[in-house]
């Protein structure tokens, strides 16, 4: 057990070892009676300098005049303790901010015999607190001074706890009106009914942030378009203490954006009307040329009926002009997506050399054409007429890009794609048309497939050629690519899905000698009906004519031996050709039905229900199509048709 002397020595060692606190004793009058190393370090006095001196020496002159030292001792004597913070003065005259505690020391009888004083230099802490206070003050002034943004705090339940000048200006409430109220007051009734304010807080609580735009309501009931951000505010332990909300009035910007969109729409409509004007001019130019050729050839033919050679030339000219008109119409319908594709299996080894002749005929004499077809090209399933039209459009564009002449390369090869061309994967036939012309400027390259877009002079093109190529490629589940460099030419390549095997063209089957058969032609236009019947007879079939669907049904029940119905789609009398075909299928299930139309909106809902021959057609096309169905029927071994009751 330690003696009182040993205990005294232990406390003395403890006090003398402390250097961060000034710990010393004062007598009853306030004179220094002891001094530890911490006091020497903090105040700058050695023990010999200060022992016996009054502790008021450590106070500032103003505090001494105010009697602060005397008040401190009196308070400690009366209450047992005095604590405070304030400026103190070192030996060298410099000041420091001190935290001081003075405890009264009493004897066994309870009388005050002196004071124990502890002083700590907390200048650094005070400076940090002052910096924090200044920062908070500056931030408060900053937030309060912002008038373009409503910046305020919400408690965890969504009630407003602070309010800046921007909030007052934008929302219309002063702080006294709104602090303590729920922020849902700023939302529209419909948003409150849907729970939007609470959903916004939940999102901010869960994700840390919520951001949105929408209508908000001012104090006077008017609405404004707001951009709002809500951030969750958490303490050092991660506990939610509230939300910081920033709102900006975006009404003017939104109205400006709406006006811009309206202007863009008006500009688009203006551009569309201009494009339609260009389209109309191009079509008028092309059709006037065709009609001039037809009328002129017909006039000359009618005045030279006795000259078979001249008459034949004029008739050939009329036929060629009509075919060109038909191709132009097909191009328009393909662009409008009113003409469904008629895919057939195409043997490219056979078809492409034939198409090369067509392309060559569209070129000028100063353009050399070369062909490079890989042997044993894979077959494709596509619309033959659309393939022909697409390649012709590519050749015409290549021709127009070489006004001074050049070379056109018509090539085809088999390729296996792995997603590098618009994500397509598998076996494809790549058919390309390459020219050595002027090339396509980089700035217009992204627009070349746009409908109506053309760089040709007004009236010299419809702007539909490349749009048709693009539409055909997309409808065929393929793609078209462009490689071009100004002054060095252009290569356009069609990628069409392949069967990966050599084809057996269906057109060969159509060329087989068809058995003598009877065809019912249904056409409301008398001249077209007579013309179609003559064409049917030209290819070796007997023909019967009906001018309406009702008449066709009557003739089917009255005339034996009819083996195919060939009907126009658009007809008067309340029943279309499509409706007629459906009735015939019900009554005579084994009877083939072929439809024809120049505008297939009527079969748009069921494009694969019946075969369709597009108008205009000639003897060759009609023979191929009708022969195909007649041959298929003969091979199926169908007997005479019977009426289904």
């Amino acid at each position: 057990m330690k003696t009182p002397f040993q205990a005294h020595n232990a406390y003395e060692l403890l006090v003398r070892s402390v250097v961060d606190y000034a710990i010393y004793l004062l007598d009853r009058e306030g004179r220094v009676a002891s001094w530890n190393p911490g006091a020497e370090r903090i105040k700058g006095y050695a023990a010999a300098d200060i022992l016996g001196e009054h502790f008021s020496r450590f106070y500032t002159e103003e505090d001494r005049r105010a009697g602060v030292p005397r008040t401190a001792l009196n308070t400690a004597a009366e209450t047992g303790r005095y604590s405070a913070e304030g400026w103190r003065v070192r030996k060298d005259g410099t000041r420091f901010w001190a935290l001081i505690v003075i405890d009264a020391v009493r004897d066994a009888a309870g009388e005050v015999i002196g004071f124990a004083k502890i002083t700590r230099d907390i200048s650094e802490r005070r400076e940090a607190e002052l910096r924090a206070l200044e920062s908070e003050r500056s931030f408060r002034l900053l937030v309060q001074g912002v008038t373009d943004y409503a910046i305020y705090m919400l408690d965890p339940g969504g009630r407003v706890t602070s309010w800046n000048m921007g909030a007052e200006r934008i929302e219309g409430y002063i702080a006294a009106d709104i602090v303590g109220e729920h922020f849902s007051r700023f939302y529209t009734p419909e948003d409150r009914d849907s729970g939007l304010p609470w959903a916004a807080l939940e999102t901010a609580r869960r994700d840390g942030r919520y951001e949105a735009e929408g209508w908000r309501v001012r104090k006077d009931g008017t609405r404004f378009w707001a951009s709002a951000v809500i951030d969750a505010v958490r303490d050092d332990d991660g506990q939610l203490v509230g939300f910081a909300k920033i709102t900006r009035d975006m009404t003017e910007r939104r109205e400006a954006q709406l006006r811009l969109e309206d202007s863009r729409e008006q500009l688009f409509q203006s551009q569309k009307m201009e494009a339609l004007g260009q389209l109309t001019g191009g079509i008028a130019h092309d059709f006037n040329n065709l009609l001039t050729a037809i009328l002129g050839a017909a006039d000359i033919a009618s005045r030279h009926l006795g000259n078979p050679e001249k008459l034949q030339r004029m008739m050939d000219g009329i036929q060629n002009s009509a075919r060109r008109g038909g191709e132009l119409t097909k191009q328009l319908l393909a662009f409008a997506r009113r003409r469904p594709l008629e895919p057939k299996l195409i043997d490219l080894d056979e078809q492409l050399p034939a198409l090369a002749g067509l392309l060559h005929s569209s070129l000028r004499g100063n353009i050399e054409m070369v062909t490079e077809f890989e042997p044993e090209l894979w077959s494709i399933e596509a619309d033959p007429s659309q393939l022909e039209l697409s390649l012709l459009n590519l050749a015409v564009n290549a021709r127009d890009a070489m006004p001074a002449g050049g070379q056109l390369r018509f090539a085809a090869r088999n390729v296996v794609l792995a997603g590098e061309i618009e994500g397509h994967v598998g076996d494809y036939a790549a058919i390309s048309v390459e020219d050595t012309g002027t090339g396509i400027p980089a700035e217009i390259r992204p627009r070349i497939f746009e409908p109506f877009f053309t760089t040709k002079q007004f009236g010299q093109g419809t702007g539909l050629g490349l749009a048709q190529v693009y539409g055909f490629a997309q409808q065929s589940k393929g793609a078209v690519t462009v490689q071009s460099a100004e002054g060095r030419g252009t290569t356009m390549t069609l990628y069409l899905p392949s069967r990966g095997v050599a084809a057996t063209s269906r057109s060969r089957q159509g060329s087989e000698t068809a058995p003598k058969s009877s065809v019912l032609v249904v056409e409301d236009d008398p001249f077209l009906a007579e013309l179609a019947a003559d064409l049917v007879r030209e290819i070796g079939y007997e023909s019967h004519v009906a001018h309406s669907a009702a008449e066709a049904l009557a003739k089917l029940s009255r005339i034996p031996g009819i083996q195919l119905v060939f009907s126009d789609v658009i007809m008067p009398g309340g029943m279309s050709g499509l409706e007629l075909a459906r009735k015939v299928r019900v009554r005579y299930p084994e009877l083939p039905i072929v439809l024809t139309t120049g505008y297939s909106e009527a079969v748009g809902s069921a494009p694969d229900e019946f075969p369709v021959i597009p108008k205009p057609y000639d003897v060759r096309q009609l023979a191929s199509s009708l022969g195909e169905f007649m041959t298929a029927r003969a091979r199926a071994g169908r007997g005479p048709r019977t009426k289904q009751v």
Side-chain angles (χ1 to χ4, degrees), residues 15-87:
V15 170
R16 288 193 175 280
S17 66
V18 174
V19 294
D20 290 333
Y21 291 82
I23 304 175
Y24 51 96
L25 288 170
L26 304 176
D27 62 16
R28 290 181 60 183
E29 285 73 31
R31 289 181 170 79
V32 178
S34 69
W35 199 247
N36 80 325
E40 183 174 339
R41 187 185 70 83
I42 293 173
K43 297 183 181 284
Y45 294 93
D49 298 331
I50 200 64
L51 290 176
E53 298 294 327
H54 199 273
F55 86 113
S56 60
R57 175 177 292 192
F58 310 135
Y59 284 74
T60 63
E61 182 62 32
E62 53 268 30
D63 281 350
R64 288 200 296 271
R65 286 198 302 267
V68 174
R70 186 183 314 109
T71 301
L73 291 185
N74 290 340
T75 301
E78 293 173 4
T79 64
R81 183 183 180 85
Y82 172 84
S83 62
E85 291 185 14
W87 289 112

Side-chain angles (χ1 to χ4, degrees), residues 254-557:
R254 182 174 186 269
E255 290 175 351
Q257 184 176 353
L258 291 175
R259 288 194 298 270
L260 177 60
E261 290 175 358
D262 185 59
S263 299
R264 285 175 177 169
E265 179 63 23
Q266 292 179 12
L267 177 61
F268 171 74
Q269 293 297 333
S270 174
Q271 290 174 336
K272 186 164 69 172
M273 293 305 297
E274 181 182 355
L276 286 173
Q278 292 177 348
L279 172 66
T280 303
I283 292 174
H285 174 271
D286 292 346
F287 265 116
N288 280 334
N289 285 345
L290 297 175
L291 292 174
T292 299
I294 291 172
L295 290 173
D299 182 59
I300 293 173
S302 66
R303 288 185 284 108
H304 293 82
L305 297 177
N307 186 340
E309 183 179 349
K310 194 174 193 67
L311 182 63
Q312 184 61 49
R313 286 203 308 273
M314 293 302 101
M315 296 305 296
D316 289 344
I318 290 173
Q319 287 180 339
N320 289 334
S321 296
R323 288 193 185 98
R324 288 171 58 198
E327 291 302 322
L328 180 58
T329 303
K330 289 177 183 178
Q331 185 173 337
L332 291 169
L333 292 175
F335 161 71
R337 306 291 167 87
R338 299 302 189 189
R339 179 178 179 271
L341 297 182
E342 300 174 46
K344 296 182 179 180
L345 194 64
I346 299 176
D347 182 350
L348 292 181
D349 284 331
E350 178 182 298
Q351 190 73 13
L352 291 184
L355 289 176
L358 174 67
L359 268 57
H360 188 268
S361 65
S362 69
L363 305 178
R364 295 187 303 273
N366 61 353
I367 297 177
E368 176 193 11
M369 179 173 171
V370 297
T371 59
E372 294 180 12
F373 302 140
E374 182 177 294
E376 296 184 4
L377 289 167
W378 293 331
S379 64
I380 62 171
E381 191 165 14
D383 186 316
S385 64
Q386 288 297 303
L387 174 63
E388 176 181 316
L389 181 59
S390 296
L391 294 175
L392 187 60
N393 280 327
L394 294 179
V396 169
N397 274 275
R399 177 199 68 193
D400 294 344
M402 297 183 287
Q407 184 185 82
L408 184 144
R409 177 175 168 269
F410 182 31
R413 68 187 192 279
N414 299 325
V415 296
V416 179
L417 299 182
E420 64 273 26
I421 305 295
E422 296 185 8
H424 292 294
V425 177
D427 297 335
Y428 283 75
I431 308 172
S432 60
V433 175
E434 179 181 353
D435 65 65
T436 58
T438 56
I440 304 173
E443 62 271 18
I444 69 169
R445 212 169 295 157
R447 300 189 60 197
I448 60 174
F449 294 121
E450 289 182 13
F452 310 135
F453 179 77
T454 178
T455 57
K456 298 177 183 178
Q457 295 182 2
F458 182 78
Q460 293 187 359
T462 61
L464 291 178
L466 292 182
Q468 180 273 331
V469 175
Y470 180 81
F472 166 67
Q474 295 296 313
Q475 285 183 289
S476 301
K477 300 179 181 179
V480 57
T481 62
V482 181
Q483 292 178 308
S484 184
E486 289 189 66
R488 289 186 290 177
T490 299
T491 301
M492 294 200 178
T493 304
L494 274 169
Y495 291 89
L496 300 172
S498 170
R499 293 274 185 98
V501 294
T504 301
S505 175
R506 294 181 185 175
S507 61
R508 300 178 198 168
Q509 299 176 8
S511 65
E512 296 177 5
T513 302
K516 192 71 171 178
S517 304
S518 177
V519 176
L520 176 62
V521 176
V522 188
E523 171 63 64
D524 63 293
D525 185 290
F527 179 74
L528 291 181
E530 180 181 354
L531 179 62
D534 286 344
L535 290 176
V536 168
R537 284 190 287 271
E538 284 286 330
I539 59 179
Y541 304 124
E542 293 181 356
S543 63
H544 303 276
V545 175
H547 297 293
S548 68
E551 183 181 351
L553 291 173
K555 287 193 173 183
L556 281 173
S557 63

Side-chain angles (χ1 to χ4, degrees), residues 59 68 72 82-86 88 97-102 118 122:
Y59 284 74
V68 174
Y82 172 84
S83 62
E85 291 185 14
R88 296 296 182 265
W97 190 261
L99 169 66
I100 60 102
V101 176
I102 302 176
I118 300 176
I122 59 170

